[in-house]
């Protein structure tokens, strides 16, 4: 039937899932979104710090994606629309000596925190947080969503998996074992992240972003220099990404030891000891894409611009790893899957 309205479950509320859900809803489909976290955003995450040495300010440390570039004309148009709506701001940080120049000299950040963009895309859609999806079941022509072995929602015509490929592989195994193998093989790399607040450094220069050429650190940011972030006098807010190689070598190191090692590396980077008021670490197991592989056509499925879609069963996969990585890749992949779902609802099986 042309123009059929489908019920679609989207698993994952990061930028890929949010973009997919928004495009599906705008096309007239009924969408429900499920995510294991207490909020949305996925790797576009912000850690809130509510008490630092008696300060009343609520501070946000963007410990996931620190910012992103916009390259393609379609994504740039989306970003500029977000800027006009007050959701995105362009940031041109002062670079530390010997740091590689940013593409275009700037990056985009969501305001007032990184999850804000996903919140805006999902604001009027049914959202189930703190719901770890551990099964998707197909009975007849309909899908159900399971969490902790219990059916939490059913009656869906289609399911879109917008989660890291290794996590999607677990859900795909029963229905598309060939996809499960492909997803498991996607080369995603882990990253340890240190976030914290210190007294303002006595040395190290007046810079906002450093990309050390060697050592354990890949990226050092002054988070309080970003647009729409709260700043406190005589304090500095840091977000520090370890390199994937260093992270891999310390993947199972206790967090307190990782924190101490990264704090020492940051002190070396700024040229002196730092007085810490707050510090924490977070391990992203699937933080970045190691390499990009093409989407080869598979039997019974359509692949288009970085999304997998099985029109026969109503099962799809999207995410940054399928479209070159990063926020732009995630957005592009989510929208591509939504287009494939809509085409299937309209009877286009080619």
């Amino acid at each position: 039937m042309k123009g059929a309205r489908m019920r679609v479950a989207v698993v994952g509320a990061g930028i890929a899932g949010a973009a997919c859900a928004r495009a599906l809803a705008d096309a007239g489909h009924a969408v429900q979104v499920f995510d294991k976290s207490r909020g949305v955003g996925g790797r576009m995450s912000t850690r809130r710090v509510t008490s630092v040495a008696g300060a009343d300010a609520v501070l946000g440390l963007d410990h996931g994606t620190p910012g992103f570039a916009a390259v393609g004309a379609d994504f740039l148009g989306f970003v500029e629309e977000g800027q006009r709506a007050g959701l995105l701001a362009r940031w041109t940080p002062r670079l530390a000596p010997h740091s590689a120049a940013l593409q275009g000299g700037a990056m985009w950040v969501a305001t007032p925190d990184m999850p804000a963009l996903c919140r805006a895309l999902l604001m009027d859609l049914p959202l189930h947080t703190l719901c770890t999806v551990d099964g998707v079941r197909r009975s007849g022509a309909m899908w159900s969503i399971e969490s902790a072995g219990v059916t939490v929602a059913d009656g869906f015509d289609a399911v879109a998996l917008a989660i890291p490929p290794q996590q999607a592989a677990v859900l795909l195994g029963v229905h598309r074992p060939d996809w499960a193998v492909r997803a498991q093989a996607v080369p995603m790399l882990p990253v340890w992240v240190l976030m914290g607040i210190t007294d303002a450094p006595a040395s190290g220069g007046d810079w906002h972003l450093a990309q050390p050429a060697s050592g354990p650190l890949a990226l050092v940011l002054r988070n309080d220099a970003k647009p729409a972030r709260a700043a406190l006098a005589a304090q500095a807010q840091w977000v520090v990404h370890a390199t994937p190689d260093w992270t891999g070598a310390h993947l199972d190191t206790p967090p307190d030891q990782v924190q101490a090692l990264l704090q020492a590396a940051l002190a070396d980077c700024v040229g002196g000891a730092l007085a810490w008021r707050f510090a924490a670490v977070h391990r992203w197991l699937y933080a970045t894409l190691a390499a990009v592989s093409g989407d080869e056509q598979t039997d019974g499925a359509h692949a288009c611009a970085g999304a997998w879609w099985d029109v026969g069963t109503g099962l799809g996969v999207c995410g940054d790893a399928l479209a070159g990585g990063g926020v732009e890749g995630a957005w592009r992949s989510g929208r591509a899957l939504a287009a494939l779902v809509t085409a299937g609802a309209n009877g286009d099986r080619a």
Side-chain angles (χ1 to χ4, degrees):
M1 180 173 63
K2 295 288 185 181
R5 183 175 187 262
M6 300 179 68
R7 294 193 68 222
V8 185
V10 176
V11 180
I15 187 63
C20 182
R22 179 77 270 155
L24 287 168
D26 288 348
H29 304 294
V31 183
Q32 292 188 44
V33 181
F34 302 82
D35 196 275
K36 66 179 181 179
S37 300
R38 65 171 55 91
V40 304
R43 278 169 279 159
M44 293 184 69
S45 296
T46 297
R47 175 79 63 90
R48 296 192 178 281
V49 180
T50 56
S51 178
V52 180
D56 293 330
V58 177
L59 305 178
L61 300 173
D62 303 325
H63 67 295
T65 301
F68 55 90
V71 178
D74 53 349
F75 185 62
L76 184 59
F78 167 76
V79 165
E80 290 174 343
E81 182 179 342
Q83 182 183 32
R84 290 190 292 271
L87 291 170
L88 293 169
R90 188 176 174 88
W91 181 41
T92 305
R94 289 194 294 271
L95 300 181
H98 312 300
S99 293
L102 299 173
Q103 185 173 33
M107 64 172 65
W108 292 93
V109 298
T111 61
D113 56 21
M114 291 306 288
L117 182 60
C118 292
R119 286 198 302 268
L121 290 169
L122 296 169
M123 64 179 179
D124 58 346
L125 301 180
L127 174 64
H128 309 268
T129 55
L130 295 174
C131 182
T132 299
V133 175
D134 52 27
V136 291
R137 185 178 299 276
R138 192 166 187 257
S139 178
M142 307 304 289
W143 290 92
S144 60
I145 301 297
E146 298 179 351
S147 179
V150 176
T151 298
V152 294
D154 57 16
F156 296 103
D157 301 294
V159 171
L161 303 180
I163 53 181
Q166 286 75 13
Q167 295 174 350
V170 177
L171 303 179
L172 290 169
V174 174
H175 311 286
R176 287 300 306 254
D178 55 334
W179 284 7
V181 171
R182 289 174 64 196
Q184 193 65 49
V186 174
M188 299 294 289
L189 298 177
V191 168
W192 272 112
V193 177
L194 167 70
M195 67 202 97
I197 301 167
T198 71
D199 290 348
S203 60
D206 185 21
W207 50 262
H208 301 152
L209 186 150
Q211 300 173 79
S214 61
L217 305 185
L219 184 68
V220 178
L221 280 110
R222 280 289 301 269
N223 201 81
D224 47 334
K226 295 166 71 173
R229 270 55 177 179
L232 299 178
Q235 294 186 16
Q237 300 168 31
W238 303 97
V239 172
V240 179
H241 289 224
T243 67
D245 285 347
W246 189 93
T247 299
H250 296 81
L251 199 60
D252 297 317
T253 301
D256 59 338
Q257 295 180 30
V258 169
Q259 178 178 311
L261 291 168
L262 292 180
Q263 285 175 303
L266 177 60
D268 289 342
C269 181
V270 301
L274 295 166
W276 289 87
R277 294 170 175 259
F278 166 82
V281 291
H282 183 88
R283 185 185 67 178
W284 294 100
L285 278 176
Y286 311 111
T288 186
L289 184 63
V292 180
S293 57
D295 269 332
E296 54 279 343
Q297 190 79 17
T298 59
D299 292 340
H302 299 301
C304 176
W308 302 347
W309 171 239
D310 187 333
V311 69
T313 62
L315 180 63
V317 184
C318 65
D320 69 310
L322 304 184
V327 172
E328 181 165 351
W331 177 85
R332 196 175 305 283
S333 180
R335 288 179 58 86
L337 180 54
L340 290 168
V341 173
T342 296
N346 291 340
D348 180 4
R349 303 178 67 90

